[in-house]
C-alpha cells in the first residue's frame, strides 16, 4: 500500500526523468541541426553564426563566441563568430586567458559561477538570478586544436556539468571538422589557382617570339607585323598555305597582347558541320532544340576578355556569316533559342588558306564580312619561298624531337640538308616537322642521313617521283651519303675521310669521282665560300 507521500515522490521522480529525457532529445536535435548548418559550408563564418544561433535558441546561451587562430600569429586567438558581443568591443575571445589555455591544452574549462572568477568579465553580479556559468571547449579534430567555443549560460545549481560539457564537446569537434574541410577546400582551390597561373605563364612562354623560328626576311616581316598589331584590338586575318604556322602566329598575337592573361579560344570552322557551327559559336538556351537540356555558352562567350581564332573562316555558311558580321559590328549576339542579348569583349583573329576573293566572286562569302575581317592582314609565305628557314627549322625539330623520343640524334648530314632544301614542301612547316620526326625515329645514330628521309625527298628533284627505289640506287645513295658525311667530319681531307670509313684512299677517291662529289666544299670555309 502506498502513502500519499510515496505517490508524490514517485510523481516528482517521473517528472524529473521526463525533463531529463526531453533535455536529451533537445541536445540530439540540436546536434543534428548543427551538423546540417555546417554540412555545406560555402561561407564558414555564417555557418558558425548559425550554430551559435541554435545554441542560443535551444540551450539558452546568453553570450557565445567561436575563436580561431589568427592568420598572422597562429598562437593568438581571434574572434570568428559571436552572439551577444558588441562587435566594436573587441576581436578577442570572451575570456582570453582561459580560451588560450583551452586552446593550448585541448582540455575544456567550466566555471560554474562567473561571479567567483575575477579573471572573467562580468564577475561582479548582484543577484543570484544574474549569475552565469562559463564553458569553454576546444574545437578539436585528430587531437589538434583548431579553435575554441565559449558559451555563457544562466547559472543553475542542479546543472549536470558532465553532460553539458559532453554536449558542447561534440559541438566543438563538429566545428573542428568543418574547419578542416574548409582548409582542405581552400588548399585545393589555391592549388588550382597556382596551377592555372603556371599553365598560363607556360603558354605565354611557349608562344612568345623566341618560338617562332625564321631568319628569312619574310618571317622577320611577319614578326614585325605581329608586334605592331598585338597590342591593339584590331581584327586580324592570317593567310597562308596549310602548315605555314597560321595558328602559331595567332597565338603569338594573343600572348603578346593585353589580353594574354585571358583565354585564347580556337574554333576550326572546317571541322564543324553547318548545323553545329552556330550553336558552337554563339551557344544556346535551354530548350533551343531537342536535346538542349541546359544553357550552353558558345565560344564567343568563352573567349570573353580574350581572343577568338576562327580557323578556316572561308568554310562558314552564309547565315552564320550574317551573325558574325553583327558581332564584329556591335559586339553582341543572342544565343540560339534565346532572347537575351549577350555582350562580349572579344578580339577576333581569322585564318584561312583559301582564296577569299574567289569565294566572294562566286557568292560563298559576303563581301562586307571580308572587309570586316580584312582590317589587318598577315601573309605567311610558303616554306619553299623562304629556303633559309628550312635549315633552322629542321635543326630545331631535330633537337626537340630527339629529346621527346629519347634519341641521340644530333645533326643532319649535308646530303640530307640538300634534299630538305631542294624539296618543295607542299605541307610546309608541318610537313617538315613530320619528315624530321620520322627521320629521328628511324635513325639509329647521331646523324640523320639522306636514306632516313622519305623517298620523295631523296630523288634529285625532290618532287613528283614517289615510286620506290631500286636496290642499286638505294645503295648508291647510302654510299654517297656516308662519304659526304665522312668528308664533312674530316673537313674535306680525303685521306682522313677514308680512315674514318675504314676504306682505302683509292676506293674512296674512286667513289668520289663516281658520284661526282665536290670534296672541296667540305674544306675549311669551303662550304661558306660556296654558299
Ligand atoms: N616559324 C615557325 N617556327 C616554329 N614552328 C613552326 C613555325 N611555323 C610553323 N611551326 C609549327 O608547324 C606546325 C604547323 O603550324 P600551324 O598549326 O600553326 O599551321 P597552320 O598554318 O595553322 O596550318 P593549317 O592551315 O593546316 O591549320 C606547328 O606544330 C607549329 O608549331
Ligand atoms: Mg591551323
Amino acid at each position: 500500500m502506498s502513502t500519499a507521500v510515496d505517490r508524490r515522490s514517485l510523481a516528482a521522480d517521473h517528472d524529473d526523468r521526463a525533463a531529463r529525457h526531453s533535455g536529451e532529445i533537445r541536445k540530439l536535435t540540436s546536434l543534428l541541426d548543427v551538423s546540417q548548418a555546417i554540412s555545406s559550408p560555402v561561407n564558414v563564418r555564417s555557418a558558425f553564426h548559425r550554430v551559435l544561433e541554435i545554441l542560443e535558441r535551444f540551450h539558452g546561451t546568453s553570450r557565445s563566441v567561436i575563436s580561431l587562430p589568427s592568420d598572422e600569429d597562429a598562437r593568438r586567438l581571434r574572434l570568428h563568430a559571436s552572439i551577444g558581443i558588441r562587435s566594436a568591443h573587441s576581436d578577442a575571445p570572451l575570456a582570453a586567458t582561459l580560451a588560450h589555455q583551452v586552446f593550448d591544452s585541448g582540455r575544456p574549462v567550466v566555471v560554474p559561477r562567473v561571479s567567483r572568477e575575477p579573471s572573467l568579465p562580468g564577475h561582479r553580479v548582484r543577484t543570484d538570478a544574474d549569475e552565469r556559468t562559463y564553458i569553454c571547449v576546444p574545437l578539436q579534430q585528430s587531437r589538434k586544436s583548431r579553435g575554441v567555443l565559449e558559451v555563457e549560460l544562466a547559472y543553475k545549481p542542479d546543472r549536470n556539468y558532465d553532460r553539458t560539457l559532453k554536449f558542447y564537446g561534440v559541438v566543438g569537434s563538429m566545428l573542428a571538422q568543418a574547419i578542416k574541410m574548409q582548409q582542405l577546400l581552400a588548399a585545393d582551390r589555391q592549388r588550382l589557382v597556382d596551377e592555372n597561373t603556371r599553365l598560363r605563364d607556360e603558354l605565354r612562354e611557349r608562344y612568345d617570339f623566341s618560338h617562332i623560328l625564321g631568319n628569312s626576311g619574310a618571317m622577320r616581316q611577319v614578326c614585325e607585323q605581329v608586334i605592331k598589331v598585338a597590342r591593339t584590338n584590331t581584327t586580324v586575318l592570317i593567310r597562308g598555305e596549310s602548315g605555314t604556322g597560321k595558328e602559331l602566329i595567332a597565338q603569338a598575337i594573343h600572348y603578346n597582347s593585353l589580353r594574354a592573361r585571358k583565354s585564347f579560344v580556337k574554333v576550326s570552322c572546317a571541322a564543324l558541320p553547318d548545323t553545329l557551327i552556330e550553336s558552337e559559336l554563339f551557344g544556346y538556351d535551354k530548350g533551343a532544340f531537342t536535346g538542349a537540356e541546359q544553357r550552353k555558352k558558345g565560344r564567343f562567350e568563352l573567349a570573353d576578355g580574350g581572343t577568338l581564332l576562327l580557323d578556316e573562316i572561308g568554310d562558314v555558311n552564309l547565315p552564320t556569316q550574317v551573325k558574325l558580321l553583327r558581332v564584329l559590328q556591335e559586339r553582341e549576339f543572342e544565343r540560339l533559342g534565346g532572347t537575351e542579348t549577350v555582350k562580349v569583349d572579344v578580339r577576333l583573329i581569322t585564318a584561312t588558306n583559301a582564296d577569299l576573293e574567289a569565294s566572294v566572286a562566286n557568292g560563298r562569302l559576303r563581301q562586307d564580312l571580308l572587309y570586316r575581317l580584312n582590317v589587318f592582314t598577315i601573309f605567311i609565305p610558303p616554306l619553299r619561298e623562304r629556303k633559309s628557314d628550312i635549315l633552322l627549322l629542321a635543326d630545331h625539330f631535330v633537337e626537340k624531337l630527339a629529346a621527346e623520343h629519347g634519341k641521340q640524334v644530333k645533326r643532319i648530314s649535308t646530303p640530307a640538308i640538300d634534299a630538305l632544301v631542294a624539296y618543295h614542301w607542299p605541307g610546309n612547316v608541318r610537313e617538315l616537322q613530320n619528315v624530321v620526326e620520322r627521320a629521328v625515329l628511324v635513325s639509329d645514330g647521331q646523324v640523320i642521313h639522306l636514306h632516313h628521309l622519305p623517298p620523295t625527298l631523296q630523288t634529285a628533284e625532290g618532287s613528283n617521283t614517289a615510286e620506290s627505289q631500286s636496290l642499286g640506287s638505294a645503295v648508291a645513295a647510302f654510299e654517297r651519303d656516308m662519304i659526304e658525311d665522312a668528308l664533312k667530319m674530316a673537313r674535306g681531307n680525303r685521306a682522313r675521310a677514308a680512315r674514318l670509313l675504314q676504306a682505302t684512299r683509292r676506293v674512296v677517291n674512286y667513289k668520289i669521282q663516281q658520284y661526282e662529289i665536290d670534296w672541296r666544299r667540305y674544306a675549311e670555309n669551303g662550304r661558306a665560300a660556296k654558299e
Side-chain angles (χ1 to χ4, degrees):
M1 193 180 80
S2 62
T3 62
V5 174
D6 279 344
R7 262 204 303 276
R8 228 177 296 138
S9 85
L10 260 180
D13 203 30
H14 178 264
D15 281 356
D16 194 31
R17 254 189 294 145
R20 223 171 4 178
H21 188 62
S22 82
E24 294 303 303
I25 288 183
R26 198 159 29 110
K27 282 188 183 120
L28 285 176
T29 315
S30 295
L31 288 181
L32 195 65
D33 290 348
V34 167
S35 84
Q36 268 164 5
I38 59 177
S39 63
S40 53
V42 181
N43 176 349
V44 173
R45 200 182 284 268
S46 69
F48 281 11
H49 198 262
R50 244 177 322 179
V51 171
L52 297 183
E53 275 171 357
I54 294 168
L55 297 180
E56 182 188 33
R57 226 162 111 206
F58 300 105
H59 301 274
T61 57
S62 50
R63 296 199 290 175
S64 53
V65 172
I66 294 171
S67 305
L68 307 183
S70 88
D71 288 338
E72 299 85 47
D73 179 359
R75 285 164 308 170
R76 278 183 63 129
L77 292 168
R78 285 256 162 277
L79 184 145
H80 195 68
S82 71
I83 284 187
I85 306 277
R86 265 170 282 133
S87 56
H89 187 63
S90 152
D91 65 347
L94 204 53
T97 320
L98 286 180
H100 279 97
Q101 185 188 315
V102 169
F103 180 67
D104 292 338
S105 68
R107 301 165 77 92
V109 161
V110 184
V111 180
R113 303 181 78 131
V114 167
S115 66
R116 300 198 181 157
E117 180 62 51
S119 74
L120 283 173
H123 76 281
R124 265 190 296 259
V125 280
R126 283 175 212 100
T127 64
D128 237 18
D130 288 338
E131 183 63 285
R132 308 247 158 255
T133 296
Y134 169 88
I135 292 178
C136 179
V137 293
L139 311 187
Q140 219 173 21
Q141 200 267 333
S142 322
R143 301 239 183 98
K144 185 175 168 4
S145 287
R146 295 178 188 272
V148 296
L149 164 68
E150 298 168 280
V151 294
E152 257 182 22
L153 300 159
Y155 169 67
K156 277 195 214 150
D158 59 346
R159 189 186 290 280
N160 181 333
Y161 290 105
D162 249 8
R163 281 171 190 275
T164 311
L165 211 52
K166 245 188 211 131
F167 170 70
Y168 286 105
V170 174
V171 174
S173 61
M174 286 166 108
L175 295 173
Q177 189 72 32
I179 294 171
K180 188 184 170 195
M181 286 309 294
Q182 179 70 17
Q183 284 168 349
L184 287 178
L185 280 177
D188 240 24
R189 199 171 308 134
Q190 190 55 43
R191 198 177 50 71
L192 285 178
V193 168
D194 290 349
E195 175 82 354
N196 204 324
T197 317
R198 189 182 63 73
L199 286 174
R200 275 187 199 277
D201 287 350
E202 208 178 282
L203 277 177
R204 223 186 15 253
E205 219 171 86
R206 185 174 307 168
Y207 295 112
D208 73 359
F209 287 104
S210 61
H211 293 85
I212 303 177
L213 299 175
N215 47 19
S216 62
M219 272 320 274
R220 257 187 235 143
Q221 211 178 339
V222 166
C223 284
E224 274 166 26
Q225 284 178 306
V226 170
I227 293 170
K228 209 188 288 171
V229 82
R231 297 214 146 229
T232 68
N233 271 329
T234 310
T235 305
V236 180
L237 173 63
I238 304 173
R239 308 181 74 154
E241 287 180 12
S242 166
T244 43
K246 296 185 291 296
E247 195 171 330
L248 195 70
I249 294 296
Q251 280 161 335
I253 293 175
H254 172 73
Y255 288 105
N256 287 285
S257 77
L258 302 171
R259 298 165 176 266
R261 293 203 151 263
K262 295 291 179 69
S263 310
F264 174 83
V265 177
K266 182 196 152 190
V267 185
S268 181
C269 302
L272 290 167
D274 280 0
T275 44
L276 277 186
I277 184 127
E278 279 197 32
S279 69
E280 200 57 38
L281 290 179
F282 305 108
Y284 50 78
D285 268 349
K286 195 175 164 179
F289 45 83
T290 26
E293 282 167 12
Q294 264 169 350
R295 197 171 89 181
K296 183 173 177 278
K297 284 188 178 181
R299 303 290 176 100
F300 266 100
E301 266 179 278
L302 293 176
D304 197 15
T307 307
L308 179 67
L309 167 64
L310 293 183
D311 210 357
E312 296 314 335
I313 185 69
D315 289 1
V316 173
N317 61 29
L318 286 166
T320 309
Q321 290 180 24
V322 177
K323 278 199 151 186
L324 271 177
L325 196 59
R326 175 158 166 236
V327 185
L328 280 169
Q329 277 165 350
E330 291 155 33
R331 304 277 152 191
E332 61 179 40
F333 60 89
E334 280 95 38
R335 294 187 201 99
L336 249 66
T339 47
E340 185 193 341
T341 302
V342 184
K343 286 203 172 289
V344 283
D345 165 29
V346 169
R347 194 238 192 110
L348 194 68
I349 301 181
T350 52
T352 186
N353 62 12
D355 181 354
L356 296 184
E357 285 71 17
S359 303
V360 170
N362 63 30
R364 296 227 320 272
L365 181 68
R366 291 178 63 110
Q367 179 138 40
D368 45 5
L369 181 62
L370 181 58
Y371 283 146
R372 287 269 164 191
L373 298 177
N374 207 352
V375 183
F376 190 100
T377 300
I378 296 179
F379 177 71
I380 311 179
L383 191 56
R384 64 183 162 278
E385 286 175 21
R386 41 187 173 110
K387 298 236 177 237
S388 62
D389 288 346
I390 295 178
L391 193 55
L392 188 76
L393 283 163
D395 278 343
H396 162 74
F397 290 140
V398 167
E399 196 185 319
K400 185 178 116 184
L401 296 164
E404 248 170 55
H405 295 292
K407 301 284 271 190
Q408 296 302 311
V409 183
K410 300 251 176 329
R411 61 186 185 86
I412 308 171
S413 74
T414 308
I417 287 174
D418 290 345
L420 292 177
V421 174
Y423 186 58
H424 66 298
W425 299 110
N428 293 292
V429 185
R430 182 178 297 111
E431 187 182 7
L432 173 61
Q433 190 172 344
N434 291 342
V435 163
V436 172
E437 178 155 25
R438 173 186 185 274
V440 164
L441 285 172
V442 296
S443 160
D444 40 17
Q446 297 201 344
V447 184
I448 289 179
H449 290 292
L450 187 60
H451 62 274
H452 295 137
L453 301 181
T456 24
L457 272 84
Q458 291 181 31
T459 50
E461 302 318 316
S463 59
N464 307 328
T465 43
E467 72 262 25
S468 61
Q469 286 176 298
S470 68
L471 176 66
S473 68
V475 170
F478 187 64
E479 222 169 31
R480 184 193 166 105
D481 207 23
M482 282 187 73
I483 293 169
E484 287 193 303
D485 213 44
L487 279 169
K488 189 176 179 188
M489 279 200 273
R491 294 179 195 278
N493 183 324
R494 284 167 295 169
R496 274 212 353 246
R499 275 199 300 279
L500 283 169
L501 292 166
Q502 297 172 16
T504 62
R505 276 177 69 169
R506 204 175 57 80
V507 168
V508 170
N509 272 328
Y510 170 72
K511 297 276 180 192
I512 286 175
Q513 259 177 21
Q514 184 191 354
Y515 295 130
E516 295 175 343
I517 296 171
D518 179 7
W519 57 271
R520 288 175 195 85
R521 94 183 249 205
Y522 300 99
E524 210 90 56
N525 300 326
R527 190 162 172 222
K530 205 170 173 274
E531 272 173 359

